Amino acid sequence: MVARAVLNGFRLWPRTLRVRLFVILLAGLALAHAMSFTVLFFERYMAARSVMFNTLENDVATSIAILDRLPAAERADWLDRLERGSYSFILGRGMPGDPALDARSAEIASKIQGTIGARYPIEVESIPGESRRLQAHLRLSDGAPLTIDVKPRGVMPLADWLPYVLVAQLGLLVLCCWFAVRQAIRPLVNLATAADTLDPNRQTPRLSEAGPSEVAYAATAFNAMRDRIAQYLEERVQILAAISHDLQTPITRMKLRTEMAEDFIERDKLIQDLGEIERLVKEGVDYAKSAHGKVEKASRIDLASFTESLAYDYQDTGKAVTITEVTGGTILTRPHALRRILTNLIDNALKFGGSAEIEMQRLADETVVIKVLDRGPGIPENQLEAVLKPFYRLEQSRNRDTGGTGLGLAIAQQLATAIGASLTLRNRDGGGLAAEIAIHP
């Protein structure tokens, strides 16, 4: 039962840091405010109670002294003058009551007895009724009966405007807590957003370094980390470019020497292997450079002309590339990067499907969707994302003779990210693969 209660407590606890901080701050401030109000109310209650009893003692003693000195015939005329909000005087015995008193009534009775009891023997009784009422019976110096009719009121009645003040104070506490939590959480949210969208290959705004010293320090450290990552990526490209430059020359010499050499049994295989190495080096460098598609300036192109030109280039070489659907209009993008993406996708479709179909659509939100379709063997569902990673090959359908290096789709994915597009692969109904490029406005 205890474990279940604890588990239910965790479920009720807010999941977001913003709400947790808000609840903690508001609860703490509200509790402190309630404690301060309670202490202040208790202090005022004790002070008002002391004043009330002192006033009761002095006024009752003075009033009885006045009535005692007046002639009996004039006492009735003075009753209204001596009446107060919480007590009055009655010439006579008054009403019968109960001598048993509750705690507060006994305290009032003791104050009256302490004031006049030494000179005027007094009896205090509780009068039955809906409200608290006491009557103190005594006799004046001439033996005339006198009754003090006491109707105690609240010690410190609350003002009508006090609830509105309390509501306004609570609203101010809520507002201050919300503002404080917002100021504390906003830099953290900005940092999380910047980390989630971190891409050194894009010209995204740097994280603002303004604000408190701790926030500025965290933002400065994040921006420095981003710059280091961009520098490491740039160094990677430079290293691969240098390796390519150094390898291509000896590979070319080896190919020339092999081709000029006399025929021998392994000559053709050696030439094929050297060509494979040369292609691997070239595609590796292309993949590294594809991360820096931002170096190309964006320009506006006509979609229909761009797609038709690409398809005609393939058709001129006898490749089965057709356009089944195309939407007109222009788009602002990096044309060379987009052409390389489509080329890789079309080559992939031709290699494994024998033919390729191109469809182009413009959605309502101005997003341009370009699809490259084939009727090849497709890709297992659990590997659709894996094939976009570099050097990943499907062994059952791609070997060194048919599958290449496993960088074609990775280069297309890298370039798509660089130009602000997204690449998605899915299997078609009836067999085949659909590669979809979504270019967002």
Side-chain angles (χ1 to χ4, degrees):
M1 295 296 292
V2 175
R4 182 177 298 176
V6 172
L7 181 59
N8 292 335
F10 278 114
R11 289 178 179 174
L12 295 176
W13 186 241
R15 296 182 61 86
T16 62
L17 181 61
R18 183 191 302 271
V19 179
R20 289 185 181 184
L21 288 179
F22 179 79
V23 171
I24 293 173
L25 286 177
L26 181 61
L29 291 175
L31 182 60
H33 178 68
M35 293 176 61
S36 299
F37 178 80
T38 302
V39 171
L40 179 62
F41 182 86
F42 183 75
E43 188 274 333
R44 289 190 61 189
Y45 172 82
M46 296 302 295
R49 182 170 171 272
S50 177
V51 171
M52 184 194 72
F53 282 135
N54 291 336
T55 302
L56 178 65
E57 292 175 357
N58 296 331
D59 288 356
V60 168
T62 303
S63 299
I64 292 177
I66 292 174
L67 292 174
D68 194 23
R69 288 176 172 77
L70 289 174
E74 299 180 7
R75 290 171 180 169
D77 297 334
W78 280 78
L79 294 181
D80 292 338
R81 302 178 187 178
L82 300 177
E83 182 179 353
R84 297 292 183 269
S86 59
Y87 65 89
S88 61
F89 294 93
I90 301 174
L91 296 176
R93 178 60 185 171
M95 300 173 62
D98 186 0
L101 306 177
D102 57 24
R104 186 178 179 189
S105 299
E107 185 177 13
I108 296 174
S110 65
K111 294 294 183 180
I112 297 176
Q113 289 175 343
T115 302
I116 60 176
R119 183 174 180 181
Y120 306 97
I122 187 171
E123 297 178 0
V124 181
E125 297 177 341
S126 175
I127 306 302
E130 295 181 359
S131 59
R132 181 182 287 108
R133 186 178 181 183
L134 303 176
Q135 285 192 349
H137 308 289
L138 57 94
R139 289 184 177 277
L140 299 177
S141 300
D142 59 359
L146 179 67
T147 299
I148 307 173
D149 190 12
V150 182
K151 299 177 181 178
R153 296 185 300 178
V155 175
M156 188 178 61
L158 297 177
D160 295 337
W161 46 264
L162 185 58
Y164 299 101
V165 173
L166 295 178
V167 172
Q169 289 177 337
L170 182 60
L172 182 62
L173 286 178
V174 171
L175 182 62
C176 292
C177 289
W178 174 83
F179 182 75
V181 170
R182 182 173 180 270
Q183 291 296 315
I185 295 299
R186 184 169 58 180
L188 183 60
V189 174
N190 293 339
L191 180 61
T193 302
D196 188 52
T197 59
L198 176 62
D199 187 354
N201 298 316
R202 295 184 181 180
Q203 291 290 351
T204 54
R206 296 172 65 86
L207 188 62
S208 175
E209 299 179 3
S213 58
E214 296 84 358
V215 175
Y217 177 75
T220 302
F222 180 84
N223 289 331
M225 178 191 68
R226 172 182 168 177
D227 294 339
R228 288 194 298 270
I229 293 175
Q231 182 180 359
Y232 295 153
L233 291 177
E234 185 67 27
E235 290 177 354
R236 182 186 68 174
V237 174
Q238 295 175 357
I239 292 173
L240 288 176
I243 293 174
S244 173
H245 181 270
D246 292 341
L247 287 178
Q248 284 178 350
T249 301
I251 290 174
T252 303
R253 288 200 303 264
M254 292 172 65
K255 288 181 64 178
L256 289 174
R257 291 174 180 174
T258 303
E259 292 173 354
M260 295 174 63
E262 297 181 357
D263 291 340
F264 54 93
I265 299 177
E266 302 295 334
R267 178 175 178 274
D268 292 339
K269 293 183 179 180
L270 181 58
I271 294 175
Q272 183 180 356
D273 289 340
L274 289 173
E276 184 69 21
I277 295 173
E278 187 177 24
R279 184 157 59 96
L280 178 61
V281 171
K282 182 178 180 299
E283 291 192 2
V285 175
D286 288 341
Y287 172 75
K289 290 182 177 180
S290 66
H292 296 267
K294 64 181 181 180
V295 297
E296 180 189 357
K297 293 184 179 180
S299 60
R300 189 167 295 277
I301 61 173
D302 182 78
L303 288 173
S305 300
F306 180 84
T307 308
E308 290 172 357
S309 174
L310 181 62
Y312 292 156
D313 290 343
Y314 277 96
Q315 292 172 6
D316 289 343
T317 60
K319 303 294 179 62
V321 177
T322 58
I323 300 177
T324 58
E325 181 180 354
V326 63
T327 302
T330 62
I331 187 174
L332 183 65
T333 187
R334 300 185 178 100
H336 292 296
L338 180 58
R339 189 179 185 89
R340 179 63 186 275
I341 295 171
L342 295 176
T343 299
N344 284 14
L345 297 180
I346 294 173
D347 289 343
N348 188 75
L350 292 173
K351 185 179 298 182
F352 301 105
S355 63
E357 300 176 5
I358 302 176
E359 293 182 2
M360 181 182 299
Q361 299 174 344
R362 186 185 293 270
L363 305 182
D365 61 352
E366 294 301 318
T367 298
V368 174
V369 178
I370 305 176
K371 299 179 182 179
V372 178
L373 312 174
D374 66 60
R375 285 300 180 182
I379 298 175
E381 293 292 336
N382 60 349
Q383 300 185 54
L384 284 173
E385 294 185 4
V387 295
L388 297 176
K389 298 178 181 179
F391 302 106
Y392 187 91
R393 296 190 302 161
L394 296 175
E395 295 301 333
Q396 65 271 26
S397 62
R398 303 183 182 187
N399 52 42
R400 292 184 69 87
D401 295 328
T402 62
T405 60
L407 286 174
L409 292 178
I411 292 174
Q413 166 73 0
Q414 192 83 281
L415 285 174
T417 302
I419 67 173
S422 59
L423 173 60
T424 305
L425 302 181
R426 61 178 177 81
N427 290 310
R428 301 176 64 187
D429 295 336
L433 185 69
E436 181 178 300
I437 291 288
I439 306 174
H440 308 285

